[in-house]
Amino acid sequence: MVKVSKVALALLVCGAEGFMSPMPTVSRNVVLKQSTMETEKTQTVTTPAVSPSPKREKVVKEPALWEYNFGLQDPQLQLPHAIELGITPPEKFSITEEQIRTLEEDGVVHIKNVFDEEWVDYLRKATAHQVDQPHFWAFAGTASKLYDYIQRNVWQTNKSFSNFYYHSAMGHVLAQCGRTDEIRVSTDLLMVNPNKGFKWHQDNQNGPITWEEGIRFWI
């Protein structure tokens, strides 16, 4: 049995807005005139002043068309845990039967501590290199301005991400989730610094993959 894995590799960096300060008020005078006594009364009415929302600025400058790269990129990053590329077997991370049943019954499960600080640092460096050296496959997504950088199938253009899939425990975790011996990556998506919010929505699976055959996961 083969499970085809559709990947959403999400490394999102969001700026904290902090707590909102109390809304300022503005006082204005309203003159009320009585028709019978011809006297005037002055009443102070306090109304809230609406402050404009702060404009969100991009952290990463959008590259010019000629700054994009083509072909396979290799940042030459050292793999964690003294892993030798193409020699060291993939790492393993065992999950529980309860976690697998949670995924099957609820459709989602949160599995913690799969990657230690070394792997997190490796992914951050791989992402930083990709943003500094944008690939042409990111052109359409970056032009949408939804993210500072967004690229589909980064594992096919950047060796650091494909090496991550081959040598980390990612495949072992997904295989356990799907109760299968083999996992194949279909699609991944690298997203950096969201600039616009998405309203609640549901993505539909497309292509020659059914929900029974695929597992979608976020890192």
Side-chain angles (χ1 to χ4, degrees):
M1 178 180 179
V2 176
K3 285 281 184 179
V4 182
S5 175
K6 182 166 184 178
V7 180
L9 177 59
L11 301 178
L12 305 181
V13 182
C14 306
E17 297 292 340
F19 292 100
M20 298 296 292
S21 58
M23 183 174 293
T25 59
V26 176
S27 296
R28 58 187 177 91
N29 291 328
V30 179
V31 177
L32 303 178
K33 180 176 292 186
Q34 295 181 351
S35 59
T36 56
M37 300 181 63
E38 296 296 330
T39 59
E40 295 183 353
K41 295 181 179 180
T42 302
Q43 177 181 351
T44 300
V45 180
T46 302
T47 58
V50 180
S51 300
S53 300
K55 184 178 180 181
R56 197 176 190 120
E57 297 182 358
K58 293 186 66 174
V59 178
V60 181
K61 180 182 178 182
E62 182 178 348
L65 182 60
W66 57 85
E67 295 178 317
Y68 286 93
N69 292 269
F70 297 82
L72 183 64
Q73 297 174 284
D74 187 0
Q76 299 288 334
L77 296 180
Q78 178 64 45
L79 286 163
H81 309 155
I83 293 175
E84 295 187 46
L85 182 62
I87 299 176
T88 306
E91 295 184 334
K92 294 186 176 183
F93 184 92
S94 297
I95 62 176
T96 66
E97 177 65 24
E98 181 181 0
Q99 289 173 315
I100 299 173
R101 287 201 306 269
T102 297
L103 175 62
E104 294 173 340
E105 295 173 3
D106 298 341
V108 62
V109 62
H110 184 192
I111 303 175
K112 299 180 179 181
N113 303 319
V114 177
F115 308 111
D116 60 13
E117 292 183 2
E118 289 189 51
W119 274 118
V120 172
D121 182 65
Y122 175 88
L123 289 174
R124 284 174 174 163
K125 290 178 179 176
T127 300
H129 179 276
Q130 190 61 73
V131 172
D132 291 338
Q133 304 291 328
H135 194 274
F136 183 73
W137 285 9
F139 175 72
T142 305
S144 70
K145 302 185 185 302
L146 292 176
Y147 294 85
D148 282 356
Y149 190 90
I150 179 170
Q151 180 187 337
R152 191 177 298 276
N153 292 325
V154 69
W155 74 284
Q156 295 181 353
T157 64
N158 188 318
K159 288 195 67 176
S160 59
F161 288 101
S162 61
N163 293 339
F164 163 75
Y165 290 129
Y166 294 150
H167 285 284
S168 74
M170 193 73 263
H172 185 228
V173 171
L174 292 177
Q176 294 171 87
C177 288
R179 300 187 186 274
T180 180
D181 297 327
E182 184 175 339
I183 286 289
R184 299 177 185 177
V185 177
S186 169
T187 306
D188 69 354
L189 183 63
L190 177 64
M191 298 177 287
V192 183
N193 292 338
N195 293 308
K196 298 180 181 179
F198 280 104
K199 295 183 179 180
W200 174 253
H201 69 285
Q202 178 177 347
D203 293 327
N204 293 323
Q205 176 66 54
N206 52 27
I209 304 173
T210 66
W211 284 113
E212 290 74 20
E213 298 171 324
I215 298 176
R216 177 174 292 180
F217 69 96
W218 288 71
I219 300 174

